[in-house]
């Protein structure tokens, strides 16, 4: 009788050990980590290597295509058959690569015809609205007509704040179009050819308009709306993603550029 109990005890102990080993192995493979995988983190500057991410190169290419086509990370994960958190992290790495490469070109100076405008982002709140509402993120945008857009998060939309950015990004004697916000008053005496459009009366008067930068803000808010709120720490990455999409046109061009930037 004791011999049977001893064998049963050994059998149960081995069974428990096997189950524990299986669970540990399962937890170690949250994103289909296998031999021969490549790491997107290896393709980015060292400051982005805070999280190890290993996904097969074939799946990386599929995820990159889904990113360009604006498929959410969780939907893409469901299609390719990986853990949702792995796709979310992969998408974040792509946005970090975009932000890094756009920052490298941030010293580009615009000239010619340029549109300026500011916009505010944040959830709906009771009370004061617009850029004066508490918790809003203020973004200043500069659009070179028939060219690229540049965005920067600023503390406020006051004249001194905006003029600092304007003098860094726009050549003197450029033609600058704005709305009637008083923060732009200094443009009249700062070496720029300044045209205003009063939106309370009209939105365009031949070439006098800021419809180009307005179109960009609409695209940004359309993209961000589907996420039902973005935390403040990640907002800049999503903003730069929208800037990238606007500046680099068609999905095929975006995909080609991202393959180069991410080394996929």
């Amino acid at each position: 009788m004791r011999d049977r109990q001893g064998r049963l005890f050994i059998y149960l102990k081995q069974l428990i050990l096997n189950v524990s080993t299986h669970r540990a192995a399962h937890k170690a493979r949250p994103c289909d980590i296998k031999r021969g995988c490549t790491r997107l983190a290896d393709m980015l500057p060292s400051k982005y290597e805070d999280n190890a991410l290993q996904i097969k190169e074939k799946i990386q290419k599929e995820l990159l295509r889904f990113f360009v086509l604006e498929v959410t990370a969780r939907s893409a994960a469901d299609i390719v058959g990986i853990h949702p958190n792995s796709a979310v992290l992969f998408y974040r790495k792509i946005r970090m690569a975009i932000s890094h490469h756009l920052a490298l070109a941030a010293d580009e100076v615009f000239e010619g015809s340029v549109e300026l405008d500011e916009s505010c982002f944040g959830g709906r709140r009771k009370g004061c609205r617009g850029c004066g509402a508490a918790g809003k993120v203020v973004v200043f945008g500069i659009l070179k007509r028939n060219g690229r857009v540049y965005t920067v998060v600023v503390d406020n939309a006051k004249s001194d704040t905006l003029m600092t950015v304007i003098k860094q990004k726009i050549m003197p004697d450029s033609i600058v179009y704005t709305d009637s916000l008083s923060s732009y008053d200094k443009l009249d005496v700062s070496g720029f050819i300044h045209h205003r459009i009063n939106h309370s009366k009209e939105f365009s008067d031949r070439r006098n308009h800021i419809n180009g930068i307005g179109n960009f803000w609409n695209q940004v808010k359309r993209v961000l709306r589907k996420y039902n709120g973005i935390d403040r720490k990640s907002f800049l990455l999503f903003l730069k993603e929208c800037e990238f999409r606007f500046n680099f046109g068609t999905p095929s061009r975006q995909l080609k550029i991202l393959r180069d930037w991410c080394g996929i």
Side-chain angles (χ1 to χ4, degrees):
M1 182 69 177
R2 290 182 180 178
D3 186 51
R4 289 182 58 190
Q5 289 178 342
R7 290 199 301 270
L8 179 61
F9 175 76
I10 293 173
Y11 171 76
L12 292 175
K13 184 178 180 180
Q14 185 63 40
L15 181 62
I16 293 172
L17 180 62
N18 290 340
V19 171
S20 299
T21 303
H22 174 74
R23 287 179 176 176
H26 179 72
K27 290 181 179 180
R29 297 177 64 248
C31 58
D32 290 356
I33 300 174
K34 297 181 179 179
R35 292 183 179 179
C37 295
T38 55
R39 300 179 69 244
L40 182 60
D42 291 338
M43 307 167 194
L44 301 176
S46 58
K47 64 180 179 179
Y48 298 137
E49 296 181 8
D50 52 340
N51 294 305
L53 175 64
Q54 292 181 315
I55 300 177
K56 288 191 299 183
E57 185 175 0
K58 180 180 178 181
I59 295 180
Q60 286 187 30
K61 290 180 178 180
E62 291 185 61
L63 290 175
L64 197 60
R65 290 172 63 89
F66 285 131
F67 177 86
V68 168
L69 295 174
E70 299 186 47
V71 178
T72 64
R74 297 189 182 279
S75 295
D78 181 63
I79 294 173
V80 301
I82 64 173
H83 195 284
N85 289 345
S86 299
V88 170
L89 179 57
F90 188 85
Y91 271 36
R92 179 176 176 80
K93 293 290 185 179
I94 297 173
R95 293 186 177 103
M96 292 170 77
I98 289 173
S99 181
H100 170 72
H101 281 85
L102 292 183
L104 295 178
D107 292 335
E108 177 188 0
V109 178
F110 294 164
E111 60 181 334
S113 297
V114 183
E115 299 178 18
L116 311 179
D117 194 26
E118 72 295 329
S119 188
C120 299
F121 296 83
R124 295 182 179 179
R125 296 175 177 84
K126 295 181 180 179
C128 182
R129 295 187 177 185
C131 292
K136 291 281 188 177
V137 178
V138 184
V139 181
F140 183 44
I142 303 176
L143 172 69
K144 169 76 168 73
R145 286 190 177 174
N146 300 317
R148 297 185 179 184
V149 69
Y150 169 78
T151 62
V152 59
V153 175
V154 292
D155 294 333
N156 53 63
K158 295 180 180 179
S159 179
D160 290 343
T161 303
L162 301 187
M163 286 302 299
T164 299
V165 181
I166 290 170
K167 290 180 179 180
Q168 291 175 346
K169 288 293 298 181
I170 304 176
M171 288 283 290
D173 297 326
S174 294
I175 304 172
V176 179
Y177 298 90
T178 73
D179 58 18
S180 55
L181 184 71
S182 61
S183 297
Y184 299 120
D185 288 350
K186 289 184 179 180
L187 285 170
D188 297 325
V189 292
S190 299
F192 300 99
I193 303 171
H194 184 203
H195 296 280
R196 295 175 181 270
I197 186 71
N198 188 343
H199 285 166
S200 64
K201 296 181 179 180
E202 57 187 352
F203 281 89
S204 66
D205 180 12
R206 298 181 181 179
R207 290 185 59 81
N208 185 15
H209 62 80
I210 55 172
N211 294 341
I213 189 70
N215 179 48
F216 171 71
W217 295 136
N218 290 336
Q219 289 189 32
V220 174
K221 293 180 179 182
R222 175 185 60 80
V223 171
L224 300 186
R225 192 177 297 119
K226 66 183 178 183
Y227 295 105
N228 296 320
I230 298 171
D231 66 271
R232 199 180 186 95
K233 293 181 180 179
S234 300
F235 175 78
L236 183 60
L237 293 179
F238 284 85
L239 176 66
K240 289 302 175 178
E241 174 194 343
C242 295
E243 183 180 323
F244 166 79
R245 293 184 185 279
F246 186 89
N247 287 342
F248 292 97
T250 63
S252 59
R253 186 184 178 199
Q254 293 172 17
L255 182 60
K256 182 179 180 180
I257 292 171
L258 287 180
R259 281 175 175 169
D260 179 53
W261 287 0
C262 298
I264 299 176

